Amino acid sequence: MPKKLLLLPPLNPYSAFRAPRAHPAAPPAMNAARTGYRVFSANSTAACTELAKRITERLGAELGKSVVYQETNGETRVEIKESVRGQDIFIIQTIPRDVNTAVMELLIMAYALKTSCARNIIGVIPYFPYSKQSKMRKRGSIVCKLLASMLAKAGLTHIITMDLHQKEIQGFFSFPVDNLRASPFLLQYIQEEIPNYRNAVIVAKSPDAAKRAQSYAERLRLGLAVIHGEAQCTELDMDDGRHSPPMVKNATVHPGLELPLMMAKEKPPITVVGDVGGRIAIIVDDIIDDVESFVAAAEILKERGAYKIYVMATHGILSAEAPRLIEESSIDEVVVTNTVPHEIQKLQCPKIKTVDISLILSEAIRRIHNGESMAYLFRNITVDD
């Protein structure tokens, strides 16, 4: 009789290598892969990482492991010390005095994360550098637009910033930009830290700052004053490049072409529009860097009868001799946020006070990562704010 064949089930070639059942692992750390995001600091100086530490503390996360340093020849080197594959990466970059080094640190870190297969790379840049160079000048360039293009090329997919010098800068980018506002924190400071603030008047040190000052005055139900004249900022008076090629003496004019002559500007004597006598004057602006215009405004306000003078600004760059000039001026207090590190300036001038804005930045990070609406952070914010 023929032998019967015993049919066996097909052999799985991988059965011998099947891994044993894994035991439940301990819950991962807050900054591990299950959260789906990392927070890095792109600064090579310890003073500039303070804001990043405050933000990560509020998020309950750890700061990402990376090394950012300068080579002996001045080149910037960035090394990412952990896996970022498939993660949402937030790069916090505060801008110190060495602006160009900070920009290169940000660009190189963004590109390093891009080549490490990060899913999204979001730049948290509270003070956006070169924001004052956002308009064409005579034979110049719009450097802010160039920087926006460089950030996109490096791999950034989103930016969180605060109080851009010109809101139109958002149009320079090919990806989303969230322009947060520091005014709620500064308004809270006025209400809680300035005694008898109901007797104050909000002051714009130039007509250019009038909209911002009006917003503060309306929210605090206070009066408004504007300084007009020679002390005003001359940024808008600069040539915009339309005089190229330059004018040539005795140039031949096309017959019949007679263009009307533009009259030269003549600034009126300095004057204060609004009553500041016997009141607290609060000067508001977005950036305080060279303080000569603020010191001059404070002197005028003192002459007009203001008995106490505050300066409120989002970005306290405070370059050069700013601490000394503030200390020797009629300004009683300068209040800025920590978008820019200024601890050294505070040691030089006790009049400088700081308002922490890490709360709104950490909440923006949380909402972007979770795909939540950002509308809550822009409550009651209008176009003019």
Side-chain angles (χ1 to χ4, degrees):
M1 294 180 64
K3 294 182 179 180
K4 293 183 178 180
L5 296 177
L6 182 61
L7 298 178
L8 298 176
L11 180 64
N12 184 353
Y14 301 102
S15 60
F17 303 98
R18 186 176 300 164
R21 185 184 299 273
H23 295 286
M30 190 64 185
N31 207 38
R34 77 174 172 86
T35 63
Y37 75 97
R38 299 284 196 279
V39 180
F40 287 88
S41 174
N43 286 113
S44 58
T45 55
C48 296
T49 60
E50 182 62 30
L51 180 60
K53 292 177 181 178
R54 288 176 177 264
I55 292 173
T56 51
E57 286 175 4
R58 292 184 180 275
L59 290 169
E62 298 176 1
L63 202 58
K65 298 176 183 178
S66 64
V67 178
V68 183
Y69 62 96
Q70 312 300 320
E71 298 275 13
T72 55
N73 61 356
E75 293 181 356
T76 299
R77 184 175 291 272
V78 175
E79 298 176 5
I80 309 299
K81 296 296 187 178
E82 59 181 301
S83 175
V84 296
R85 183 178 295 272
Q87 304 292 302
D88 289 337
I89 306 300
F90 294 87
I91 307 174
I92 301 174
Q93 180 68 320
T94 52
I95 306 298
R97 292 189 177 185
D98 190 356
V99 178
N100 295 329
T101 298
V103 169
M104 286 305 301
E105 290 171 346
L106 177 60
L107 291 170
I108 295 173
M109 176 169 278
Y111 190 68
L113 293 166
K114 177 183 177 181
T115 55
S116 299
C117 300
R119 182 175 65 176
N120 294 307
I121 304 173
I122 300 96
V124 183
I125 315 171
Y127 168 65
F128 195 80
Y130 289 98
S131 58
K132 284 190 174 182
Q133 298 189 48
S134 59
K135 296 181 180 180
M136 178 61 72
R137 303 302 182 200
K138 187 175 182 179
R139 300 182 190 86
S141 62
I142 306 177
V143 184
C144 193
K145 176 66 171 69
L146 171 63
L147 181 55
S149 302
M150 293 168 64
L151 292 173
K153 190 68 174 178
L156 262 68
T157 59
H158 197 138
I159 278 183
I160 303 171
T161 187
M162 181 165 283
D163 282 336
L164 287 170
H165 187 57
Q166 299 288 342
K167 298 179 182 65
E168 294 79 3
I169 292 174
Q170 296 179 74
F172 293 164
F173 295 87
S174 58
F175 50 77
V177 176
D178 286 310
N179 182 27
L180 303 177
R181 306 296 197 274
S183 52
F185 297 90
L186 297 176
L187 289 168
Q188 184 181 29
Y189 184 94
I190 293 173
Q191 293 173 312
E192 296 179 357
E193 302 296 333
I194 297 181
N196 195 25
Y197 82 93
R198 290 292 181 188
N199 188 37
V201 58
I202 305 298
V203 179
K205 71 178 180 67
S206 71
D208 301 335
K211 283 188 176 181
R212 183 183 301 272
Q214 181 181 359
S215 174
Y216 276 72
E218 291 176 351
R219 296 180 190 282
L220 294 169
R221 280 49 169 187
L222 299 177
L224 176 66
V226 179
I227 298 177
H228 179 56
E230 292 181 352
Q232 69 177 347
C233 176
T234 59
E235 179 181 354
L236 296 182
D237 295 335
M238 299 176 67
D239 293 330
D240 63 359
R242 293 184 176 87
H243 297 297
S244 184
M247 297 294 292
V248 180
K249 291 184 178 180
N250 301 323
T252 303
V253 180
H254 190 277
L257 181 62
E258 295 183 3
L259 297 176
L261 180 64
M262 176 63 74
M263 297 179 63
K265 287 186 177 181
E266 183 178 349
K267 294 183 180 180
I270 191 165
T271 181
V272 179
V273 181
D275 182 21
V276 297
R279 307 178 78 174
I280 301 170
I282 304 175
I283 305 173
V284 297
D285 212 334
D286 62 330
I287 299 173
I288 176 169
D289 188 0
D290 297 324
V291 299
E292 285 85 355
S293 60
F294 292 92
V295 172
E299 295 295 335
I300 295 298
L301 294 171
K302 275 289 186 182
E303 293 175 5
R304 299 297 193 275
Y307 71 90
K308 206 163 188 180
I309 299 171
Y310 291 81
V311 175
M312 316 283 293
T314 302
H315 309 296
I317 302 175
L318 303 170
S319 300
E321 297 296 318
R324 180 184 61 81
L325 294 175
I326 293 172
E327 186 66 25
E328 297 173 356
S329 71
S330 302
I331 299 173
D332 293 283
E333 195 170 283
V334 174
V335 183
V336 294
T337 71
N338 56 344
T339 57
V340 177
H342 51 263
E343 294 303 317
I344 296 177
Q345 291 91 327
K346 288 178 68 175
L347 294 175
Q348 298 172 344
C349 178
K351 292 182 179 181
I352 301 172
K353 308 297 180 183
T354 306
V355 175
D356 182 26
I357 44 81
S358 62
L359 175 63
I360 192 171
L361 293 174
S362 60
E363 180 62 14
I365 290 174
R366 189 193 68 81
R367 286 176 174 270
I368 288 175
H369 170 64
N370 293 333
E372 300 177 19
S373 171
M374 296 286 285
Y376 178 78
L377 304 182
F378 293 93
R379 293 172 301 166
N380 300 322
I381 299 295
T382 64
V383 176
D384 294 332
D385 288 330

